[in-house]
Amino acid sequence: MTPLASYRRLLAIAGPTYVVVAFLGRLPLAMSQLGTLLLVSTATDSYGLGGLSAGALAVANALGAPVAGAVADRTGQRPVVLVQSLLGAAGLASLVAVVHADATAPFVVATAALTGLVLPQVGPLARVRWRPLTHGTGSHQRRLVDAAFSYEGAADEASFAIGPALVGVAVAVVSPGGALLLAAGLLAVFGTAFALDPSARLTRRNGSAPLATGPLVTAVFVVLALAQVSIGMLFGATQTGATVLANDAGRPGMAGLVHATLGVGSAVAGIATAYLPERFGHERRALAAAGTLLALSLPLLLVDSLTGAFLTVLLLGFAVAPYMIAIFSLAERVVPLARVGAAMTTLASSTGLGYALGSSVAGRLADGSGATAAFGVTVGATVLAVTLMTTQQGRLHRAVQTALAGERERDQAAAATSVR
């Protein structure tokens, strides 16, 4: 089955409405971090507090998402996502009210954290739905799942392009508070629609569903989580550096548009990864993408204008989605089937932790040394990614081979049972 045929098959299986809802439902999370950064830093004239508030939202989301994912593995996604969507929308609106009321810094940070705690991770949960959605496709399922993960990686990156762009437009037309209120409205509508979509029923464990056969947290999974921490640091530091450049130029709304270019290149590259040959394993793809991230991040140290930032960040984006797709695909392969929801949300949480670390460190450095210091954190994040993928190739390859052997054993057992 060709990649294009795989994408067509996936669209036919899930339906266009689901694809649209699942995409729009992930935009509020993509908007919330930059929206918080701009809202707080603009109101308080402190990049440090803005970065701390955005980081608090990201850290709290990182802590809450795995719990929500684990509960969704057991009860199904519908009730979990529905509650999170409504509470998250209320939280974003509350954050705007708190900042406009000139609340103290600790109260602002606490409100941001509580909001992050309940925001749903629609992208990772959408990944979980593809295996049950493609059940019954026989020998084509693995190729379809891989194509689905390529699409989801591209969709995530597109959301992190469109989300910041929407923030930038809303800031320019209305205000930073208006940007977060827009995110709240999108979450209330499309997060709820994602929760109520019929595909959510497929994620509820029943008597025929496989039970977890091993622990979620293994040495391999820790490597994958740290890999996502590195990409989160890249996001946070790059976003902070772009914010400094935009504010220095007197055009704060442009920060979202600069960061959006990261997602543009990434989304294009994400779709294209479905065309890579299957013999080019995901662990090797992650290594190649990490090296490319490092090479493409170095020019950021020379950027001193919004135009230079646009071009450099656009090129950097072409390595982001291939890296993340490889990491999420490795996790889907190596974790127990009944723990995939927890695995996907934990990896997303690792990205959030990395974002918090990257934005906080970059914000503090930027207060004293400007955008170049913030972009230095971006380069450091890519060094971490290269180090992880270089030193852990053997471990990752062995884990994938073990998982493939287990799949073959299950398929043989199922075939023997059907014959009897």
Side-chain angles (χ1 to χ4, degrees):
M1 183 179 293
T2 66
L4 185 57
S6 296
Y7 284 133
R8 288 173 177 168
R9 183 75 178 276
L10 291 172
L11 183 61
I13 290 172
T17 300
Y18 168 74
V19 173
V20 171
V21 166
F23 177 74
L24 295 177
R26 71 189 78 193
L27 287 180
L29 184 62
M31 298 171 67
S32 63
Q33 294 173 356
L34 178 60
T36 299
L37 176 64
L38 290 176
L39 174 68
V40 177
S41 62
T42 301
T44 64
D45 197 28
S46 171
Y47 295 124
L49 181 57
L52 181 62
S53 299
L57 184 146
V59 168
N61 189 254
L63 295 175
V67 176
V71 174
D73 279 339
R74 294 185 174 277
T75 67
Q77 291 183 11
R78 174 166 292 178
V80 176
V81 179
L82 182 59
V83 171
Q84 284 188 301
S85 296
L86 297 177
L87 290 180
L92 290 171
S94 298
L95 181 58
V96 175
V98 165
V99 172
H100 284 172
D102 295 325
T104 62
F107 195 69
V108 170
V109 174
T111 303
L114 289 174
T115 300
L117 191 66
V118 295
L119 287 175
Q121 289 275 7
V122 173
L125 294 174
R127 284 177 171 86
V128 178
R129 298 188 187 187
W130 284 113
R131 183 185 282 267
L133 277 169
T134 57
H135 178 72
T137 56
S139 60
H140 294 300
Q141 185 178 31
R142 172 45 58 190
R143 185 65 177 174
L144 288 172
V145 171
D146 282 345
F149 272 57
S150 294
Y151 161 73
E152 290 294 343
D156 278 347
E157 294 312 307
S159 74
F160 279 99
I162 296 175
L166 286 175
V167 170
V169 171
V171 168
V173 175
V174 186
S175 67
L180 279 187
L181 290 177
L182 174 60
L186 288 171
L187 182 57
V189 174
F190 294 104
T192 298
F194 179 73
L196 299 179
D197 187 87
S199 62
R201 296 194 188 100
L202 301 177
T203 63
R204 183 171 184 175
R205 186 180 301 175
N206 53 49
S208 61
L211 297 175
T213 57
L216 172 63
V217 180
T218 63
V220 171
F221 192 73
V222 169
V223 170
L224 298 177
L226 289 174
Q228 284 302 117
V229 168
S230 70
I231 206 69
M233 290 176 61
L234 181 149
F235 290 150
T238 303
Q239 195 171 84
T240 301
T243 300
V244 175
L245 284 176
N247 284 345
D248 287 346
R251 304 172 70 183
M254 294 298 290
L257 298 179
V258 172
H259 192 70
T261 62
L262 184 72
V264 171
S266 188
V268 172
I271 290 292
T273 58
Y275 290 83
L276 292 173
E278 291 187 66
R279 63 179 179 276
F280 188 24
H282 291 294
E283 69 276 11
R284 293 165 59 199
R285 297 181 191 184
L287 175 60
T292 306
L293 282 170
L294 174 56
L296 294 178
S297 69
L298 291 174
L300 283 173
L301 300 178
L302 304 176
V303 167
D304 59 0
S305 68
L306 284 174
T307 300
F310 269 114
L311 295 174
T312 307
V313 170
L314 174 65
L315 291 176
L316 179 63
F318 280 98
V320 171
Y323 180 81
M324 292 184 65
I325 290 168
I327 299 302
F328 275 93
S329 297
L330 284 167
E332 194 272 340
R333 287 276 181 99
V334 303
V335 303
L337 291 177
R339 307 294 296 277
V340 174
M344 296 297 105
T345 49
T346 299
L347 290 183
S349 294
S350 299
T351 311
L353 287 173
Y355 173 89
L357 179 60
S359 63
S360 297
V361 174
R364 290 183 178 278
L365 292 176
D367 277 334
S369 304
T372 300
F375 288 137
V377 179
T378 300
V379 175
T382 67
V383 171
L384 173 59
V386 170
T387 301
L388 281 169
M389 291 302 106
T390 301
T391 60
Q392 300 299 314
Q393 281 293 293
R395 187 191 300 274
L396 294 172
H397 181 73
R398 289 190 297 272
V400 170
Q401 295 306 308
T402 299
L404 289 174
E407 286 184 8
R408 286 193 293 268
E409 289 179 2
R410 286 192 296 271
D411 290 343
Q412 291 171 359
T417 300
S418 64
V419 170
R420 289 196 296 267

